[in-house]
Amino acid sequence: MAAISGFQFAIDRGGTFTDVYARCPGGKTRVMKLLSEDPANYTDAPREGIRRILEEETGNKMPASQPLDTSQIDWIRMGTTVATNALLERKGVRMALLVTKGFRDLLYIGNQARPKIFDLEIATPDMLYEEVVEVAERVILEDSTCQLSKKPDLQIVTGTTGEKLEVWESIDKEQLTKDLQRIYDKGIRSLAVVLMHAYTFDGHEQEVGKLALEMGFEHVSLSSAVMPMVRIVPRGYTACADGYLTPCIKTYLNSFAGGFHNSLEGIRVLFMQSDGGLTPMDRFNGSRAILSGPAGGVVGYAMTTYKRQTELPVIGFDMGGTSTDVSRYAGEYEHVFETTTAGVTIQAPQLDINTVAAGGGSRLFFRAGLFQVGPESAGAHPGPSCYRKGGPLTVTDANLVLGRLLPDYFPKIFGKSEDQPLDREASLNGFKELTEQVNEFLSSQPGSVKKDPMTMEEVAMGFINVANETMCRPIRALTQVRCDYYTAWHPEIGSGMF
């Protein structure tokens, strides 16, 4: 390996843990694991990992309260699940949809797909937007055979595709200003603008976006800029996802860069996109960041495991703290251009990765006699019960109680001094209470088949079985369901275990 002049950092910022890999001048490598959120000790985990490694390797004191010196940093590359987890847990920003008048219910109706046609109760996913504003405007593709009466002074424009369009109705800015003010007064600061035929003629969307920014809206996602493709429904979903997630990403990026000298100006900072490619920090947006962290895992295991010991294709299994990501690699990256994640259809190039809301930090619930795992996550703060922060019971606690997770082999980064192991007693106490609730429910059921009370281990194993079933579905979907691949013929690579 050629000698390097500065420190090079590759970081995976997950929902629960942040892993930092560093190449130091002279060829030495360092690896560090931190909780992604630990307000008592630091404000940003990736920056703290960089600070600690620089301080230890250079011998120079670098106070966490001061901007970090970047003179010795060559580059930083990062994959993050900030957008993934915000979408799975519906923790994005409040936003509104602006759509052509007459189409306010377009995205709610969707494309009439019925993936579970025999279900007795269909639960439609929640919309990402809170409010809808109908924009009085209309653009029609020019058709010489049209028999409708037209205005004599009809404006004709040429779209980016070369098609001619007729502007039947221009934007009523006065009415639009009133509608936007109503949205603004409700505290909404992010918008998604989806107008008819904007994939080829973006003039009206640009007018709307300019007006909204002048009024003080902090973020506006134009469908013509986010994904200028035909088919307004997936284009609208993508714009909504961008408006819902991009402010979260920008908030995080500003926080991350703000802790460095000159906000990382002059430093090569690249972020992994959903398609497996890297992009500069200022171009990183929500619609292309949903699979940022998982995409890094796919690229990593593809380069390090495929054809090393066998010619068989590889299944990547990335069980994180909040979600589990499954992918397949058989010699080339498999891309899809329209995917559905957490009930939201995204029209953007992505690596073919299936994500489910089940991971080590997924919370455990006993509701109406059923064991439920997730989709809520304990995250890194407070984290699972065993993280010594008073958190709820999670899959990690279940594994700890069953002896599948050994504290001696887990990083000792917990407690106020960040040097304590996992707290098994906290997990045991939590499961004792939960087991009592389960047995109390079972004893109250008339004619209960199960006469003996469940043990704590049986309860923990029950939750593990539920989580395993959830995480096995995407494996079957990528192999047997799709192309009749035999699952057993694939080596499975664990690329991130809670």
Side-chain angles (χ1 to χ4, degrees):
M1 183 182 298
I4 59 176
S5 58
F7 287 84
Q8 300 174 345
F9 294 95
I11 305 172
D12 177 17
R13 200 274 190 195
T16 304
F17 286 108
T18 291
D19 298 289
V20 182
Y21 172 86
R23 277 195 211 152
C24 309
K28 183 180 179 180
T29 60
R30 289 287 308 274
V31 177
M32 182 172 290
K33 180 183 285 287
L34 298 169
L35 288 170
S36 291
E37 293 183 32
D38 194 357
N41 294 293
Y42 46 80
T43 57
D44 184 78
R47 186 173 65 244
E48 178 66 11
I50 293 173
R51 186 192 70 81
R52 293 184 183 184
I53 290 175
L54 288 176
E55 189 175 72
E56 293 171 7
E57 292 301 319
T58 63
N60 299 324
K61 287 293 182 181
M62 298 183 178
S65 59
Q66 298 180 8
L68 195 59
D69 180 24
T70 60
S71 60
Q72 299 184 74
I73 298 178
D74 187 4
W75 51 252
I76 300 172
R77 297 174 182 175
M78 190 187 306
T80 175
T81 59
V82 170
T84 315
N85 297 336
L87 186 61
L88 289 173
E89 300 178 58
R90 291 297 194 266
K91 292 183 178 179
V93 301
R94 299 176 62 195
M95 61 158 292
L97 169 67
L98 276 67
V99 68
T100 301
K101 187 176 181 180
F103 294 89
R104 66 175 299 115
D105 295 320
L106 180 68
L107 299 188
Y108 180 77
I109 296 171
N111 56 12
Q112 293 293 304
R114 294 170 174 80
K116 298 179 181 178
I117 193 170
F118 296 110
D119 274 13
L120 297 179
E121 182 179 358
I122 302 297
T124 58
D126 296 332
M127 295 293 101
L128 299 181
Y129 52 84
E130 286 187 24
E131 299 283 340
V132 180
V133 173
E134 293 187 81
V135 182
E137 65 86 38
R138 201 68 169 98
V139 176
I140 303 293
L141 290 171
E142 185 181 40
D143 184 0
S144 59
T145 63
C146 179
Q147 301 298 312
L148 297 176
S149 58
K150 301 177 182 180
K151 296 179 181 179
D153 57 344
L154 200 63
Q155 181 185 2
I156 305 296
V157 296
T158 302
T160 56
T161 59
E163 297 170 291
K164 299 289 186 179
L165 300 100
E166 302 171 351
V167 181
W168 283 27
E169 184 176 2
S170 297
I171 294 176
D172 184 348
K173 290 188 177 182
E174 183 177 350
Q175 181 60 44
L176 180 59
T177 300
K178 294 179 181 178
D179 293 336
L180 288 176
Q181 188 63 51
R182 173 176 56 84
I183 297 298
Y184 190 89
D185 292 341
K186 291 184 178 182
I188 295 175
R189 297 293 182 269
S190 182
L191 302 175
V193 184
V194 185
L195 303 182
M196 291 290 290
H197 303 300
Y199 70 92
T200 183
F201 175 69
D202 64 354
H204 284 179
E205 284 198 351
Q206 293 290 347
E207 287 185 46
V208 174
K210 182 180 179 181
L211 178 60
L213 292 174
E214 290 175 351
M215 292 181 63
F217 284 91
E218 297 171 1
H219 178 78
V220 180
S221 291
L222 306 181
S223 71
S224 55
V226 173
M227 184 51 60
M229 299 284 287
V230 295
R231 300 171 61 204
I232 189 173
V233 172
R235 175 160 54 88
Y237 283 139
T238 306
C240 286
D242 192 82
Y244 186 70
L245 300 174
T246 297
C248 296
I249 291 176
K250 296 302 181 185
T251 299
Y252 172 70
L253 294 182
N254 291 334
S255 172
F256 172 68
F260 292 87
H261 182 64
N262 288 337
S263 297
L264 289 171
E265 184 178 349
I267 304 299
R268 289 183 295 167
V269 184
L270 301 174
F271 277 79
M272 177 69 70
Q273 296 189 119
S274 300
D275 59 6
L278 293 166
T279 188
M281 183 168 62
D282 58 345
R283 297 183 183 179
F284 194 48
N285 60 49
S287 62
R288 293 178 180 267
I290 293 175
L291 298 179
S292 169
V298 175
V299 175
Y301 82 71
M303 296 180 65
T304 57
T305 65
Y306 183 66
K307 285 192 174 181
R308 293 303 174 98
Q309 295 183 357
T310 174
E311 297 291 322
L312 296 175
V314 181
I315 289 178
F317 182 83
D318 181 356
M319 179 182 174
T322 304
S323 60
T324 295
D325 309 291
V326 179
S327 57
R328 181 179 181 273
Y329 183 78
E332 61 182 24
Y333 296 113
E334 298 181 8
H335 286 87
V336 292
F337 298 92
E338 185 174 310
T339 58
T340 300
T341 302
V344 179
T345 301
I346 306 295
Q347 191 178 48
Q350 300 179 6
L351 289 174
D352 193 3
I353 301 173
N354 282 20
T355 300
V356 292
S362 295
R363 296 181 59 180
L364 310 181
F365 302 97
F366 181 69
R367 293 169 173 166
L370 297 176
F371 287 6
Q372 180 180 334
V373 178
E376 297 92 338
S377 172
H381 183 73
S385 294
C386 57
Y387 281 15
R388 300 179 182 271
K389 293 183 180 180
L393 285 178
T394 67
V395 173
T396 296
D397 294 298
N399 280 314
L400 187 59
V401 166
L402 293 171
R404 295 181 167 194
L405 192 59
L406 304 178
D408 292 341
Y409 294 91
F410 206 86
K412 295 178 175 59
I413 56 176
F414 306 101
K416 293 182 179 180
S417 57
E418 299 182 90
D419 59 359
Q420 298 295 307
L422 294 171
D423 186 359
R424 190 168 187 269
E425 287 301 317
S427 299
L428 289 172
N429 292 334
F431 266 99
K432 286 178 182 177
E433 295 181 10
L434 185 58
T435 302
E436 291 176 0
Q437 296 176 20
V438 173
N439 288 326
E440 182 179 352
F441 175 84
L442 292 177
S443 63
S444 67
Q445 301 303 301
S448 177
V449 176
K450 187 172 180 61
K451 298 180 180 179
D452 298 328
M454 295 184 70
T455 65
M456 182 171 57
E457 289 74 15
E458 288 176 330
V459 172
M461 195 64 218
F463 281 106
I464 293 295
N465 289 335
V466 173
N468 287 345
E469 176 59 29
T470 301
M471 292 184 284
C472 283
R473 291 172 191 161
I475 296 178
R476 291 193 291 266
L478 284 174
T479 54
Q480 296 170 332
V481 174
R482 174 173 301 176
C483 298
D484 201 24
Y485 297 129
Y486 189 38
T487 306
W489 289 347
H490 296 70
E492 185 174 305
I493 307 300
S495 58
M497 304 298 287
F498 55 88

